[in-house]
Amino acid sequence: MNAPLLQVVQIGKQYTRGLLRPQVTFSLAADFEVAEPTVVGVLGPNGSGKTTLFELMTGSNLPDAGRVLVNGQDIHRVRTRERDRLAIHYHQSYQVRSFQRTRPNFMLDHAASDSPLVHLFDEPQFNTQDGYIGFMLEFFRKLRGAGRVVFLCLHPNEPYHIDILRESCERFIFVQKGVVTQVPSFAALLGNEQVRSYLGSLAPARER
């Protein structure tokens, strides 16, 4: 049987402050699986842990616990220059995030893939002119059709951002204060009271 395309297995990350009596300032926990090609929408307030989650999933940040498996391969055990053959993180203006080095590359495995299987778009700047949005949505669909998993992280501040999520994404993840919640559909997303509070006036009216 083929392995799921992505498994985030009980990942945990903590940040602390203070040397003598360290206090936890932020913690993130996630445990989910994406078995097949799909587009996943990711939402949550600023500072909630979305980018940290993406960095853990691509191997550019070290978890304190857990594993991230891309097509069955632990990304944190892959050579740093080859991790983007498994998962790649495009941060805002599409610059690629660098990988955190943990041990010499000769002690790590080669990537089992030649091109990324998981693509993570972190708050891309959608240009509303010249058909750019349509181009990007078609790009996401092509990646999915090529057997890839796409994560689209948006911090909605315009109504068309909600339309993008509705049109593009098949399932969702909501991150708040380091808690990662899976949501199976757009309808379920809008039925989540935490999500509606986060969206505020952008939350569409409930269907009757």
Side-chain angles (χ1 to χ4, degrees), residues 92-173:
Q92 292 186 350
S93 299
Y94 298 101
Q95 71 266 30
V96 178
R97 300 290 275 190
S98 60
F99 293 112
Q100 190 173 65
R101 186 180 296 276
T102 58
R103 62 179 72 178
N105 270 326
F106 73 86
M107 298 178 63
L108 299 172
D109 300 327
H110 287 288
S113 173
D114 293 328
S115 61
L117 299 174
V118 180
H119 294 252
L120 304 103
F121 294 88
D122 198 345
E123 296 192 15
Q125 303 301 309
F126 284 106
N127 188 331
T128 58
Q129 299 178 351
D130 301 326
Y132 181 77
I133 292 177
F135 169 81
M136 288 304 300
L137 299 189
E138 180 61 22
F139 181 48
F140 299 152
R141 285 190 287 268
K142 286 183 177 180
L143 286 173
R144 183 195 182 284
R148 273 44 179 175
V149 175
V150 176
F151 284 82
L152 173 57
C153 177
L154 284 181
H155 182 58
N157 52 36
E158 296 288 347
Y160 73 85
H161 290 152
I162 304 299
D163 295 334
I164 288 172
L165 292 169
R166 179 192 291 110
E167 180 175 340
S168 299
C169 304
E170 299 161 274
R171 53 187 288 191
F172 298 86
I173 287 176

Side-chain angles (χ1 to χ4, degrees), residues 26 28 45-54 175 177-178:
F26 178 80
L28 174 78
N46 289 330
S48 62
K50 302 185 299 296
T51 296
T52 298
L53 176 63
F54 278 15
V175 186
K177 295 182 179 179

